[in-house]
Amino acid sequence: SGVVQSVHSKTHGNVFAVIQFLNNMQLEGILYFCIGTLMWKWDEDEVQSDMYVTENVAEMMIFKLKNTLSPDVRNILQIGACLGGQFDPSTLSFIAERLQATKNEASLTGQELSSMHDSSTCGKQRISVIQCLNHCLGQGLLECHDGLNYQFTHDQVSTAAFSLIPQEKRDYLQLRIGQALLEKLSDIELEKKIFIVVDLLNRGVSFISR
């Protein structure tokens, strides 16, 4: 059918791109499930239109993150994108708490973090972060194989999350994340993540003397 040809031409058969493309179609109401016929239907003209949705997978992911996720969830993904391959709820909570220390730091990612963190108890912070992570699991943005460590399902998800951080604030944000890791990690943990920490600190080195 026309929709099959259009999806293939726009995604070149890339499975990840196909999934994101179909999700975006559903989000915009172009693809929908008809209760009356119990079948999926779509607007053929919109699907084939050059005006509809970018063919670039990264831009499709940015569209999804900006339009389907709450600011809290986006903030967690942005911190995760700075951490690289894997991250756990405890580390995310600790870093986010440090970023919340001042109003200036709280706005580093371009969003307010106050609704995510309650300074009264660490437990509340942990639960909130886990809720954000579970939401991302349900959206197919993250995966967790051992019940503790999370990672992005695709490099394009990480790239899209990182791109949503205002460019002028990225280096300082990464510096603060690196400093938070130095504060939290044990010597053994730091040894395992030394390259990540050093890279984060290097990216914000221009702010260290300020």
Side-chain angles (χ1 to χ4, degrees), residues 44-63:
E44 192 84 30
D45 293 335
E46 287 288 344
V47 173
Q48 295 183 4
S49 171
D50 291 335
M51 296 295 292
Y52 171 68
V53 89
T54 175
E55 298 178 25
N56 183 283
V57 179
E59 292 185 12
M60 279 195 287
M61 281 309 311
I62 292 173
F63 175 86

Side-chain angles (χ1 to χ4, degrees), residues 64-81 87 92 96 109 111-117 127-142 152 157 160-162 164-165:
K64 179 174 183 176
L65 299 188
K66 290 177 67 175
N67 290 277
T68 67
L69 301 182
S70 69
D72 287 352
V73 176
R74 285 199 300 272
N75 284 326
I76 287 298
L77 287 181
Q78 289 168 349
I79 295 173
F87 39 88
L92 289 174
T109 60
Q111 301 287 347
E112 285 298 327
L113 294 171
S114 56
S115 61
M116 185 187 308
H117 305 288
I127 292 172
S128 182
V129 169
I130 290 179
Q131 289 174 341
C132 291
L133 293 173
N134 286 339
H135 180 77
C136 292
L137 287 176
Q139 291 291 313
L141 302 173
L142 298 177
F152 290 99
V157 183
F162 186 79
L164 292 178
I165 304 172

Side-chain angles (χ1 to χ4, degrees), residues 94-106:
F94 185 86
I95 292 172
E97 180 183 356
R98 289 297 180 267
L99 295 179
Q100 181 65 19
T102 67
K103 291 182 179 181
N104 183 46
E105 292 170 356

Side-chain angles (χ1 to χ4, degrees), residues 171-172 175 199-210:
D171 290 345
Y172 187 55
L175 170 64
D199 181 62
L200 289 168
L201 295 175
N202 282 339
R203 292 180 182 276
V205 68
S206 62
F207 293 95
I208 290 179
S209 60
R210 297 184 183 182

